[in-house]
Amino acid sequence: MMRRNHSTSSACRSESSIDFDGELESPFGRLETLRWSDLRETAYELFFMSCRSSPGFGGSRSGLNYYSLEGGGDGSPTSGGPKGGTGMMVVNSRIKKALGLKARRPPPMRTMNPSGGTAGNGGPNSPGKLRRPMTSAEIMRQQMRVTDQSDNRLRKTLMRTLVGQVGRRVETIILPLELLRQLKPSEFNDMQEYHRWQRRQLKILEAGLLLYPPIPLDRLNSSALRFQEVIRSGEQKPIDTSKNSEAMRSLCNSVVALAWRSTNGSSAEACHWADGYPINVYLYLALLHSIFDLREETVVLDEVDELIELMKKTWSTLGINRMIHNACFTWVIFQQYLITGEIEPDLICAALAMLVEVANDAKRSDREPNYLKVLSSVLTAIQGWTEKRLLDYHEKFDKGTLGNMENILSLALSTTRIIAEDLPSMGAVGTTTSGNRVDYYVRSSMRNAFTKIFENGAGAADSMIVEEEQDPSEILIGLAKDSEELAVAERETFSPVLRKWHSNPTAAAVVTIHNCYGIVLKQYLAKVTCLTNDLVRVLQSAGKLEKFLVQMVVEDSEDCEDGGKGIVREMIPYEVDTVVVNLLKAWIDERLRIGKECLKRAKETESWIPRSKSEPYAQSAVDLMKLAKVTVDEFFEIPVGARDDMVQDLADGLETLFQDYVSFVASCGTKQTYVPPLPPLTRCSQDSTVVRLWKKASSPCNAGVDLPKASMNAEGQEPKPSTSRGTQRLYIRLNTLHYVLAHLHSLDKSLSFFSRGRGPSPSGRAANSNRRLAPSYHFDLARSSVQSAIQHVSEVAAYRLIFLDSHRSFYDGLYLGDVADARIRPGLRILKQNLTLLISILIDRAQPIAVREVLRAAFEAFLMVLLAGGSERAFIRSDHEMILEDLRSLKKSFCMCGEGLVADDAVDREAEVAEGIVGLMGLSTERLIEDFSIAACEASGLGGAGHKLPMPPTTGRWNRTDPNTILRVLCHRDDDAANRFLKTTFQLPKRR
């Protein structure tokens, strides 16, 4: 039923247009002035005229007998002759057998009763009705849809025209002209019917003689001009065709003159009215289409052999030969396959069989120009149609139509081979070998399939419903999955068919998929500016797809000579790892750039004001370490394998950033900034007794100068700490450094944990095999820098506290004028308050080293008072006890500071030098001179007496055995012996 319905629609379509298939236009061009029905009627008239002497055409009813199968059901042949009125013998067609077409018949065709009437009305089994075989003429009339009236008119006309001219050659007859002469309006139902018939005959003559003449025609030819005038006159009303009609005489004369032209001007042996290209081909195609049963258009009539033999009689008139016939017959079979909806594989197989004959014909040397036109048109059309499907076979075929695909592929390769080998003027399309051509189909179709998948994925979101655009990352991830499925489908569905012509079709398809996805991936990556989790997922999907596709290529190319290496080289690597590494580097660089901006901002705006009492460190450190922590956390959230190899790169970048920040924190000057310069060495001048008494008597007045100091030390009143704001900001720097150090440990643990204890790269700072056992190794330089910075800032803060903030209590006030009146106790009370403030500001980890540095600075200041106190300080031997007591009080102050911030033994070690120097102050002047002489000689290398003692250099490293230290004790000794020794030995000036 489906076939019957389809054939009906096809028949209707073929009535209205020369183009049988909407997808495929006629390869022979369009005949603008003629309809298909016009061509078909004219072709039947020509066919009938050419076969007039054959049985069944000239009035005789004799002819070949064709019988239908009894029962009309199974299509199996029956033996013997006629079976009464219902059975007919089966005709075995040589042509159908050669083309591989089955010998079968559709339901019984209409037959004629012996008297010539229709016998089909009573049904095949109607009693009393004798059924007889149809003649070839009757079959042809029925197949070409010619009415009884038209057939009878044609028969009568030919009988009248050719009476007595049985031997007249058909190629000498201009059939349309003869019909116009003989047929009168009275033989038609009405004048409109006659006019339509007359216009058809004139259009046929116009096409054959003027539009498509076999011999080139001058457009100013007089006969052609007269003929055109006649045609124009017959457009509105029929022309008069009577014998005495001037129009008829003009028509006859011009048509005869045009039809009997020759190429060289000699007399022609045949007229040429229907052998011009492509009118001749269209008329012949109209005849060839009659071989398909009207009731089931996929079936070729079993009488095809007889019909073709009869059609050959038209060759001389149409200018057809066997080669042109083979080309046209191939086209008709192929076109019928399309008309019937591509449901009958036998037809395309028949077209393939005919292409074998066409290929043999194409190699002949006696090919005529018209044949080459027909052949090239047919082959180009077939090739174009087949390749249109093969270049997108994923869309056109599926598992159920693989057999059809194989036939179409064979058809495409056959036409391509004929064109390439035998029609060089057309130029070979692409490559000529079957394998290369199939490779072209595979790659093209795979590109189209991939494009469709990509477009479907990219446009999956309906803009009418979803306002936001679909995430490109999700599109590529889905595309990778779909590409993998496409490759599997190709291998399982199409490759088995393609392998007949291609050694490794799966590999070719997979390479195409790989490269197509690579193009999309490249476009996606071109717009990527940073590494994100979505991007990582895309790259992981791409990497997985690439491994899968490469494995498929290798498996499909095992039998290749090179093992598939050549086709694998066509696969442009995605280089996912390289992309990841580059993006990861870019990601790291971007984070480090943000860190540098944070550092730059800190240098411009940091005021070293604590965030709060609970967070006594700089805001810039919090920002920087927070950025570092977020960077490390996000870094390890990136799920890529190359990440672990770049841990050290990240750590190195962060470490450089930390070192820069630590250098900024430590940029607070040096301790030498606060240490006063050493005064020049002088000797104490001995005042007279009257002067000493006067100074002592005037001491109350001098005390008035130090009144603020005295009031500050008044009993019962707590002194205020003397720590300046600048020193307190140094304490914030210390807290900040310890804050950074603590977070360095935390970051280092994170890096070590997430990198699975991987040791540093060979290019790292140390190739220690035991590094794996250490929990931290990434920020060694940064930690070292922080430790050095802590030490430095602690020193600067301590020296600033002692020499600047507490200068009145130490260098500028201690033992000034007289030891007894300027003891250290008031200064120790202020020191205690300063230390209390220090402990309250500094975090616990910062306190020990800070207090220890204050201890060192205090002892340094104490020694400078004793050894470089200037001209206002002088000591006598009896001051030793008070100074020693003050030293012990100073030691005790630090021993009692905090809860063991400085151990007693540490205090004792720091006080050793001071105790030794205080011990020198308890020696006699003579002993000091002796010790100095010995030390100076040993230091200078002078041996024995008689040598002048050299001036020992000032090293700043005070020590009991240092000659410069002993000399300074002598310079501050207030007695005659010391004064004389210094004057005679070094000519030191007196104090002023």
Side-chain angles (χ1 to χ4, degrees):
M1 291 298 294
M2 292 179 64
R3 290 186 178 184
R4 178 62 60 88
N5 292 340
H6 182 84
S7 64
T8 302
S9 64
S10 301
C12 294
R13 183 171 66 249
S14 64
E15 282 290 335
S16 61
S17 173
I18 294 177
D19 299 327
F20 286 84
D21 183 32
E23 295 184 25
L24 182 65
E25 293 186 355
S26 172
F28 310 108
R30 288 182 174 271
L31 299 180
E32 300 295 341
T33 61
L34 294 171
R35 296 177 301 168
W36 180 249
S37 59
D38 297 337
L39 291 169
R40 188 180 64 242
E41 292 175 10
T42 301
Y44 177 75
E45 293 168 352
L46 176 61
F47 174 80
F48 197 93
M49 182 192 70
S50 301
C51 300
R52 67 189 186 280
S53 60
S54 300
F57 289 89
S60 173
R61 292 293 181 180
S62 62
L64 292 176
N65 295 334
Y66 300 97
Y67 300 93
S68 64
L69 298 177
E70 186 174 2
D74 57 9
S76 59
T78 59
S79 60
K83 303 286 184 178
T86 60
M88 293 184 180
M89 64 181 293
V90 174
V91 177
N92 293 320
S93 168
R94 178 184 57 82
I95 292 178
K96 292 185 68 172
K97 183 178 181 180
L99 297 180
L101 298 173
K102 298 176 182 178
R104 53 181 178 150
R105 296 181 68 85
M109 297 174 59
R110 183 179 61 177
T111 58
M112 310 297 291
N113 59 30
S115 63
T118 301
N121 295 334
N125 298 320
S126 299
K129 300 288 185 177
L130 294 177
R131 299 175 59 81
R132 64 168 181 80
M134 293 177 65
T135 65
S136 298
E138 292 168 342
I139 294 175
M140 198 66 176
R141 181 180 65 79
Q142 179 174 298
Q143 288 294 105
M144 298 193 74
R145 302 185 181 90
V146 177
T147 63
D148 290 344
Q149 183 182 11
S150 298
D151 185 59
N152 290 332
R153 279 199 305 264
L154 179 62
R155 288 174 180 271
K156 292 178 183 178
T157 301
L158 291 178
M159 289 179 64
R160 290 197 301 264
T161 303
L162 302 177
V163 60
Q165 303 182 40
V166 177
R168 184 179 177 182
R169 292 182 302 151
V170 65
E171 60 268 20
T172 62
I173 301 174
I174 307 175
L175 180 60
L177 183 60
E178 296 297 334
L179 293 176
L180 288 171
R181 283 174 175 173
Q182 300 298 330
L183 284 177
K184 305 303 178 185
S186 60
E187 300 184 55
F188 293 84
N189 293 329
D190 52 41
M191 187 60 68
Q192 288 78 12
E193 181 183 3
Y194 174 72
H195 190 201
R196 287 195 299 270
W197 175 86
Q198 187 186 80
R199 288 187 63 190
R200 173 173 67 83
Q201 301 296 342
L202 292 175
K203 287 180 180 180
I204 290 294
L205 289 173
E206 179 187 28
L209 297 175
L210 300 182
L211 301 181
Y212 311 105
I215 301 173
L217 177 66
D218 185 357
R219 61 186 182 86
L220 298 179
N221 183 283
S222 58
S223 298
L225 294 176
R226 291 196 305 273
F227 183 32
Q228 289 176 346
E229 183 178 351
V230 172
I231 293 174
R232 283 193 298 271
S233 66
E235 290 179 354
Q236 301 299 327
K237 62 180 181 178
I239 61 174
D240 183 7
T241 58
S242 61
K243 292 183 179 180
N244 298 325
S245 169
E246 182 66 26
M248 190 61 190
R249 279 198 299 271
S250 177
L251 173 64
C252 291
N253 293 335
S254 59
V255 167
V256 169
L258 292 171
W260 285 94
R261 290 184 305 119
S262 62
T263 56
N264 53 10
S266 61
S267 59
E269 297 181 358
C271 60
H272 304 280
W273 65 272
D275 55 348
Y277 177 84
I279 182 68
N280 61 339
V281 173
Y282 275 111
L283 290 171
Y284 192 62
L285 291 178
L287 292 175
L288 289 177
H289 273 289
S290 65
I291 68 173
F292 299 101
D293 196 292
L294 292 178
R295 294 162 297 178
E296 189 171 358
E297 292 185 317
T298 59
V299 176
V300 174
L301 296 177
D302 288 342
E303 297 85 0
V304 61
D305 297 55
E306 175 69 12
L307 297 180
I308 293 296
E309 285 299 319
L310 292 173
M311 292 177 194
K312 290 181 181 179
K313 296 179 180 293
T314 66
W315 285 7
S316 59
T317 301
L318 297 176
I320 303 295
N321 56 28
R322 177 167 294 280
M323 291 190 293
I324 295 178
H325 162 78
N326 288 340
C328 291
F329 194 44
T330 302
W331 172 252
V332 166
I333 295 174
F334 173 73
Q335 190 180 46
Q336 192 69 14
Y337 171 73
L338 301 185
I339 292 174
T340 55
E342 306 173 35
I343 61 175
E344 181 53 72
D346 285 354
L347 289 177
I348 198 169
C349 291
L352 278 170
M354 282 303 304
L355 276 179
V356 175
E357 297 294 328
V358 170
N360 293 333
D361 293 340
K363 296 183 182 299
R364 294 178 57 173
S365 58
D366 57 342
R367 300 178 301 180
E368 298 178 355
N370 279 347
Y371 167 68
L372 293 178
K373 291 180 181 179
V374 174
L375 178 62
S376 61
S377 298
V378 170
L379 294 180
T380 301
I382 295 177
Q383 183 194 51
W385 183 88
T386 54
E387 291 203 336
K388 181 179 179 181
R389 279 146 181 78
L390 293 174
L391 293 175
D392 194 14
Y393 61 76
H394 291 86
E395 177 70 16
K396 303 297 183 181
F397 304 100
D398 53 31
K399 289 184 178 180
T401 56
L402 290 179
N404 194 24
M405 174 184 171
E406 184 173 355
N407 291 330
I408 291 177
L409 183 57
S410 299
L411 201 63
L413 295 176
S414 297
T415 54
T416 301
R417 183 170 56 254
I418 296 172
I419 292 174
E421 295 177 358
D422 303 314
L423 297 175
S425 60
M426 293 179 59
V429 182
T431 52
T432 57
T433 63
S434 298
N436 291 340
R437 199 66 189 163
V438 172
D439 186 87
Y440 172 64
Y441 299 151
V442 170
R443 294 174 187 266
S444 176
S445 182
M446 192 58 69
R447 280 191 294 269
N448 292 331
F450 180 88
T451 300
K452 186 173 183 180
I453 291 175
F454 174 66
E455 291 175 349
N456 290 341
D462 188 352
S463 59
M464 298 294 290
I465 301 174
V466 182
E467 295 182 358
E468 297 182 0
E469 295 184 357
Q470 190 174 1
D471 184 7
S473 303
E474 295 299 328
I475 293 176
L476 262 73
I477 292 172
L479 183 61
K481 182 179 179 181
D482 293 340
S483 299
E484 186 174 325
E485 294 175 356
L486 178 62
V488 173
E490 175 72 18
R491 179 178 61 187
E492 296 177 355
T493 304
F494 298 107
S495 291
V497 174
L498 299 169
R499 202 174 297 279
K500 181 178 179 181
W501 295 276
H502 196 295
S503 59
N504 47 359
T506 302
V510 167
V511 167
T512 304
I513 294 177
H514 179 273
N515 292 340
C516 288
Y517 188 87
I519 293 173
V520 177
L521 180 64
K522 184 177 180 180
Q523 293 174 347
Y524 171 76
L525 293 176
K527 300 178 181 179
V528 170
T529 57
C530 61
L531 188 65
T532 62
N533 286 337
D534 288 340
L535 174 58
V536 170
R537 290 174 56 225
V538 170
L539 293 175
Q540 287 177 335
S541 299
K544 179 183 176 183
L545 173 64
E546 185 171 47
K547 292 179 181 178
F548 179 79
L549 296 181
V550 169
Q551 182 62 31
M552 287 186 67
V553 170
V554 171
E555 292 175 358
D556 193 58
S557 307
E558 290 179 350
D559 298 333
C560 295
E561 295 180 358
D562 61 351
K565 295 180 180 179
I567 196 166
V568 169
R569 281 194 291 269
E570 295 182 34
M571 303 176 74
I572 304 173
Y574 297 159
E575 297 181 341
V576 171
D577 293 339
T578 302
V579 172
V580 170
V581 169
N582 292 336
L583 288 174
L584 203 54
K585 287 181 178 178
W587 183 88
I588 292 174
D589 292 342
E590 175 63 17
R591 290 310 177 97
L592 295 178
R593 183 191 65 79
I594 296 174
K596 290 178 181 178
E597 290 181 355
C598 180
L599 177 59
K600 180 181 178 182
R601 190 164 52 251
K603 291 179 179 180
E604 294 173 351
T605 63
E606 185 56 70
S607 59
W608 305 111
I609 297 175
R611 285 165 55 88
S612 64
K613 289 185 178 181
S614 60
E615 298 178 328
Y617 31 78
Q619 178 65 43
S620 59
V622 176
D623 295 341
L624 181 63
M625 301 315 292
K626 182 179 180 180
L627 174 64
K629 184 179 185 305
V630 170
T631 299
V632 171
D633 291 343
E634 291 182 357
F635 177 79
F636 285 107
E637 287 177 0
I638 299 174
V640 294
R643 180 196 63 206
D644 293 343
D645 296 330
M646 300 191 68
V647 170
Q648 193 61 42
D649 293 339
L650 175 62
D652 290 344
L654 290 176
E655 186 171 53
T656 301
L657 198 62
F658 296 149
Q659 286 180 295
D660 290 344
Y661 183 74
V662 169
S663 298
F664 163 63
V665 177
S667 59
C668 57
T670 63
K671 66 179 182 179
Q672 300 301 327
T673 305
Y674 305 103
V675 177
L678 297 178
L681 294 176
T682 58
R683 53 190 173 88
C684 291
S685 58
Q686 292 296 306
D687 295 328
S688 63
T689 303
V690 176
V691 174
R692 285 190 215 170
L693 291 175
W694 180 82
K695 285 183 178 182
K696 186 174 182 180
S698 62
S699 59
C701 297
N702 295 332
V705 177
D706 297 329
L707 183 59
K709 205 183 304 183
S711 65
M712 185 169 56
N713 296 331
E715 188 175 351
Q717 182 179 356
E718 286 291 335
K720 295 181 179 180
S722 62
T723 307
S724 65
R725 290 294 181 87
T727 305
Q728 294 180 38
R729 291 191 178 97
L730 291 176
Y731 295 161
I732 301 304
R733 290 180 186 244
L734 281 175
N735 287 340
T736 300
L737 290 171
H738 281 280
Y739 176 83
V740 171
L741 184 61
H743 280 75
L744 283 179
H745 288 295
S746 176
L747 289 174
D748 216 342
K749 288 180 180 179
S750 297
L751 291 174
S752 300
F753 174 77
F754 286 112
S755 60
R756 304 179 184 275
R758 296 167 66 99
S761 60
S763 60
R765 60 176 66 92
N768 189 345
S769 60
N770 294 325
R771 282 287 197 182
R772 293 171 180 251
L773 302 177
S776 301
Y777 63 86
H778 294 98
F779 300 122
D780 289 348
L781 292 179
R783 271 192 298 273
S784 177
S785 298
V786 174
Q787 296 289 1
S788 299
I790 290 173
Q791 178 66 35
H792 173 71
V793 176
S794 297
E795 287 181 351
V796 174
Y799 274 72
R800 179 184 175 92
L801 176 66
I802 297 300
F803 285 97
L804 181 63
D805 301 342
S806 304
H807 67 97
R808 290 180 179 274
S809 304
F810 282 91
Y811 189 75
D812 291 348
L814 185 62
Y815 305 144
L816 192 64
D818 187 63
V819 174
D821 296 331
R823 299 286 295 275
I824 200 172
R825 184 174 298 277
L828 293 180
R829 296 181 66 187
I830 296 176
L831 176 62
K832 179 181 179 181
Q833 295 300 320
N834 286 336
L835 290 175
T836 301
L837 180 61
L838 178 149
I839 293 172
S840 67
I841 295 177
L842 290 178
I843 60 176
D844 294 343
R845 293 188 301 275
Q847 292 172 11
I849 187 171
V851 174
R852 187 165 58 249
E853 290 304 320
V854 173
L855 169 65
R856 292 174 179 170
F859 283 129
E860 179 75 13
F862 185 78
L863 290 178
M864 288 196 66
V865 168
L866 300 181
L867 302 176
S871 59
E872 297 182 356
R873 290 185 173 89
F875 305 101
I876 58 176
R877 184 177 182 184
S878 59
D879 294 335
H880 167 262
E881 293 297 332
M882 290 184 291
I883 295 174
L884 181 59
E885 182 181 354
D886 288 347
L887 177 59
R888 290 171 180 169
S889 298
L890 181 60
K891 290 174 56 179
K892 184 178 180 180
S893 297
F894 286 100
C895 290
M896 297 177 64
C897 178
E899 298 179 358
L901 290 177
V902 183
D904 293 348
D905 55 348
V907 175
D908 291 339
R909 285 196 301 272
E910 296 296 337
E912 286 180 357
V913 175
E915 288 174 342
I917 293 172
V918 172
L920 288 176
M921 299 179 70
L923 298 178
S924 64
T925 302
E926 291 75 10
R927 175 68 183 273
L928 287 174
I929 293 173
E930 181 182 356
D931 290 347
F932 170 74
S933 301
I934 295 172
C937 290
E938 291 178 353
S940 62
L942 298 177
H947 294 284
K948 183 179 179 181
L949 292 175
M951 174 66 74
T954 302
T955 62
R957 294 187 294 272
W958 314 128
N959 190 277
R960 178 171 181 157
T961 60
D962 175 45
N964 186 267
T965 301
I966 300 173
L967 179 61
R968 287 181 179 276
V969 173
L970 287 171
C971 289
H972 286 77
R973 177 61 62 90
D974 190 10
D975 62 17
D976 291 335
N979 184 39
R980 287 193 302 270
F981 174 76
L982 295 174
K983 180 180 180 181
T984 57
T985 305
F986 300 109
Q987 290 80 42
L988 293 180
K990 291 173 58 176
R991 297 182 181 177
R992 297 183 181 276

